[in-house]
Amino acid sequence: MNRQFEKEYTQSNDRIHPRQELLQELEAKWAAEQAQQAEQKVRAFPTWARFVAAAAGILLCIGVGMGSVMLYTRSRGLGKGTAVAEASVETEGAADLAAESLEEETILYEAEADTAPAATEFPAMMLAAPAEEAPQGTHFALDEAEVENAVRFDTLREDAGVPGAENQAEAPLAQAKAAGTAAPTQLPAATEGTAAGEAAETAAYPRGKVIRRDDLYAVFLPTLEQVHIVEYADRKISNLFSLTLREKGTQVENVFWIDGELLALRTRNGETELLRFDVSDWKSPKHLPDMTQSGTLLGAWEMNGRLYILSLYAATEEEPLPWVNGARLDFDRVLLDRERPGDTFALITVYEPGQGDDFSARLALLSPVRGAVETGDDRLLLWAGEEKTELYVLSLGDQGLTLASESTRPGTVLSALGGEGFALLLQNGSDAEFLTLDEELNETGGAAARGVGQVSWGQVYGDGAAVLTADGLHYLTAAGDRSLAVAGDAFVRLTDQRGLLLSADGTLQLVALGAQLEALGSVRTRNGELGPLPEDLSRLAFDPDTNRLAIPAGQNVYPYLIDEEGNITLRGETQVFYDHNEAEQRELRVLFVGEQALIFHKSGIALCNQALSRQLTSRY
Amino acid sequence: MGNGAVPLELGPLYEAYADMIYRLALVRTKNRSDAEDVLQDVFFRCLRRQPEFRDQEHQKAWLITAAIRSSNSLLTRADRRHGAGAEPLETLSTQDDTDDTVYTAVMGLPEKYRTAVHLFYYEGYSVEEIGRMMDTKPSTVKSHLHRAREALRKVLKEDA
């Protein structure tokens, strides 16, 4: 069928052309738009000119009071001052138009949104100009072990499908994306009472993030609240853009980079704020109006060029319904059982960069949602409840946000993963259960580890789930439960088939997952000669092809090599971090890029050779 | 744009890519007027931003991705306005005796399948490339193509 089909389909398409007059129409529209832009540029008054005009106005007053001979000359300054006032009025008019646009775009709530302020100039204090020349400094003394390719997994993701992101996808990065984007969102451990290990997997609270776009990398260092956009091309790095959000107060929790806009999310005073920065032109970035919605940020996802934001909102008598940009959600738009006891809403909004100030509230669930995970097929699974788990599948397609199916299961969700359907790991009494569900939430498979007690850490890996309990490590698949008698307090996935286990006794172990669950090799790390205990395994970089690890710890990065038997060998250590006085604020991340490695740290960005043994250059 | 690159202009851009974008937009929106809107949106967006392209392929992929985004927005808005999908496309204005059965069958598929089919069979992109353009996983694209083929097989068999 294929060849004949292709031929006939091609023939039909080849006969389709836009109208002949269309080019002339577009040229006319484009010319009109350019003329309008030119007019706006003339109207827009630069800040310095406002000062000049204001000063001129003051001088004029003085001039009038003194009856100065200079009156005539300075009265021309008053003319400028008047022009400023007119320009301001026109700017507010444009903001009204933006608000009208927001009203048009809003479908699920009454459009009473506050007038969106016009885009403002980027505050100079928040924008750090990239340094022309980087200071020197070499702090590396390792051997020349080869590292060709590696990934940092944590929340690393490659943004594909965005203009400018074509023709990418080094295999390891694509793999990292699959892990990163599929990672479920959970409430922070302190709130939900889940194991500490889970918090590191949240999408809402990433411990750093690297977004790749062609040769550009946006690096989010959450503790420092900094975002750097770095270009790495032809083995050179340059810092194009640095943004510090600290002046804004509350800590930013997640950052996205979509369609020329840098988007930062945080919770402040019980509200979720979306900070927007137009960075399509590095030379003149703009701070766009912030947007807000009620409730604390629970998670956010980028799909099809849109940002989906999920917040959790506890209603009060004064504010019984959630709102977006000040406009309350119409109760008719709230889904699910209105008679349900409780007053917590999960509010989902959608923001599409590059489309003006469209920040549409699409859906509110009258239910305290605890987590969410997306599939590659525009579906979002939400889970809620305490004694039992309520499951909701939302369709996020082009036709809007709708509830596709719902169901309940016993137990509470520990971890979830989206793929063709959904895979869930649940704690049900003293059992750990692994379930696979289709998009209608019908059960398609599963297994359970019975009587294992409280799960201290668990993670779904697609075809199975790894679970750490008091009696050891379990790996659950549809075929059953495999267990390994080890105890540990942290576990990190490296590939589909291997995991890195940090045991309670300070041993770092490589573990083969799946049917042959077994410890492959290990290295003692705590208080040993081979290196310190990694403080945060989620920060490590790993290359599954060459079996190389880089673990940031303290002031150093420790490169390890895993041999064919699975033994983990430390290959030295390298000091890359300089600021001892602010050690508690350090951010240290390693990203293997091709044959080299980028190390991001508080004092800047270092480009190193593949073995991390030599610093090639750095940017501050 | 920088590095002394030649600014993009509407005329040459239209000459090179209007047909491609219009055809893709038509497949997605099933509406000639909407397809024209998408075409305009994509070109204006490109002209405003003046992105730097590595080569022609990069430029083409950028425009396709922008067209997908633009038609997504348009379809969403159309859905809000009309409460349903876009109106169906009238039959192609055939000026010869070419059989449009296949094209009509493709247009009868769900929107995601149509896009995947068009980019795969007409534009010749790989599953991975389509995945990047549509911001979805290659496995999802494969699945869309598989389901589309199944549906087409059934429809075309019935027509035969």
Side-chain angles (χ1 to χ4, degrees), chain A residues 546-587:
Chain A
T546 59
N547 281 337
R548 290 175 193 282
L549 287 168
I551 301 178
Q555 308 288 324
N556 307 307
V557 173
Y558 294 87
Y560 292 86
L561 184 65
I562 302 172
D563 67 20
E564 290 178 359
E565 281 73 47
N567 298 311
I568 305 170
T569 313
L570 181 65
R571 304 299 297 260
E573 71 181 76
T574 180
Q575 186 175 19
V576 294
F577 188 72
Y578 317 113
D579 192 344
H580 294 259
N581 295 328
E582 295 186 63
E584 74 281 0
Q585 291 188 346
R586 66 180 164 265
E587 296 283 351

Side-chain angles (χ1 to χ4, degrees), chain A residues 589-604:
Chain A
R589 296 187 176 276
V590 182
L591 176 68
F592 288 107
V593 186
E595 296 177 346
Q596 295 173 333
L598 291 171
I599 299 182
F600 301 93
H601 55 95
K602 177 175 170 55
S603 306

Side-chain angles (χ1 to χ4, degrees), chain A residues 13-48:
Chain A
N13 266 288
D14 284 346
R15 291 184 299 111
I16 296 172
H17 306 281
R19 286 182 294 119
Q20 284 186 346
E21 317 80 58
L22 189 62
L23 176 59
Q24 285 74 34
E25 291 174 18
L26 293 183
E27 281 175 336
K29 284 182 182 174
W30 180 240
E33 183 178 313
Q34 291 209 301
Q36 195 182 359
Q37 280 178 354
E39 194 182 345
Q40 283 173 349
K41 275 184 187 171
V42 171
R43 285 177 183 172
F45 232 76
T47 309
W48 64 266

Side-chain angles (χ1 to χ4, degrees), chain A residues 57 190 198 211 236 250 260 314 325 433 442 452 474 488-489 523 551 565 587 619:
Chain A
E198 277 190 38
I211 306 169
K236 290 177 184 168
T250 317
N325 271 357
E433 291 182 348
N442 301 310
V452 293
H474 297 259
D489 40 43
V523 60
I551 301 178
E565 281 73 47
E587 296 283 351
R619 280 282 175 186

Side-chain angles (χ1 to χ4, degrees), chain A residues 286-351:
Chain A
K286 287 186 176 61
H287 182 192
L288 303 173
D290 298 341
M291 293 176 167
T292 55
Q293 69 184 58
S294 54
T296 55
L297 178 66
L298 179 58
W301 302 265
E302 178 190 350
M303 287 177 68
N304 294 325
R306 298 182 185 125
L307 181 64
Y308 292 84
I309 305 165
L310 172 63
S311 63
L312 208 58
Y313 173 65
T316 62
E317 281 188 13
E318 295 76 28
E319 292 285 351
L321 291 172
W323 48 264
V324 176
N325 271 357
R328 277 186 186 170
L329 194 71
D330 186 345
F331 197 81
D332 289 341
R333 313 293 188 181
V334 176
L335 297 187
L336 304 186
D337 183 5
R338 296 178 193 177
E339 302 304 318
R340 175 196 176 87
D343 53 5
T344 305
F345 296 89
L347 177 62
I348 301 170
T349 57
V350 188
Y351 172 65

Side-chain angles (χ1 to χ4, degrees), chain A residues 109-287:
Chain A
Y109 66 101
E110 297 294 327
E112 300 167 358
D114 295 337
T115 301
T120 55
E121 291 295 320
F122 208 94
M125 62 187 295
M126 295 171 70
L127 180 65
E132 289 300 320
E133 294 297 330
Q136 297 301 313
T138 303
H139 299 265
F140 301 89
L142 300 181
D143 61 11
E144 290 285 344
E146 298 289 318
V147 178
E148 291 179 353
N149 224 334
V151 295
R152 200 187 68 74
F153 50 95
D154 191 11
T155 48
L156 168 64
R157 49 182 297 163
E158 175 197 16
D159 273 20
V162 179
E166 297 81 7
N167 306 321
Q168 286 301 306
E170 291 172 20
L173 285 169
Q175 187 177 12
K177 182 191 176 188
T181 53
T185 298
Q186 296 273 8
L187 284 171
T191 309
E192 195 185 26
T194 52
E198 277 190 38
E201 300 292 336
T202 61
Y205 301 90
R207 294 179 185 173
K209 185 172 185 178
V210 181
I211 306 169
R212 182 179 181 186
R213 181 85 40 86
D214 286 345
D215 293 332
L216 302 181
Y217 297 83
V219 184
F220 170 46
L221 303 175
T223 308
L224 300 175
E225 296 200 58
Q226 286 178 352
V227 181
H228 301 280
I229 295 184
V230 179
E231 184 178 41
Y232 171 75
D234 301 327
R235 300 189 170 200
K236 290 177 184 168
I237 51 170
S238 47
N239 194 6
L240 299 177
F241 173 84
S242 293
L243 173 66
T244 299
L245 298 159
R246 183 170 292 168
E247 285 81 358
K248 283 281 196 173
T250 317
Q251 190 170 25
V252 166
E253 295 165 8
N254 206 346
V255 167
F256 294 86
W257 184 15
I258 308 173
D259 208 13
E261 286 187 19
L262 198 61
L263 305 166
L265 280 161
R266 65 177 178 181
T267 299
R268 187 164 68 160
N269 299 329
E271 300 172 4
T272 294
E273 283 187 343
L274 175 68
L275 312 177
R276 303 187 300 155
F277 304 92
D278 180 352
V279 293
S280 52
D281 180 359
W282 307 116
K283 292 174 184 168
S284 58
K286 287 186 176 61
H287 182 192

Side-chain angles (χ1 to χ4, degrees), chain A residues 14-15 19 33 105 161, chain B residues 36 48 65 80 100 122 132:
Chain A
D14 284 346
R15 291 184 299 111
R19 286 182 294 119
E33 183 178 313
E105 298 292 337
Chain B
E36 286 183 3
R48 282 183 208 118
T65 308
R80 291 175 198 174
D100 287 323
Y122 187 67
R132 286 198 290 276

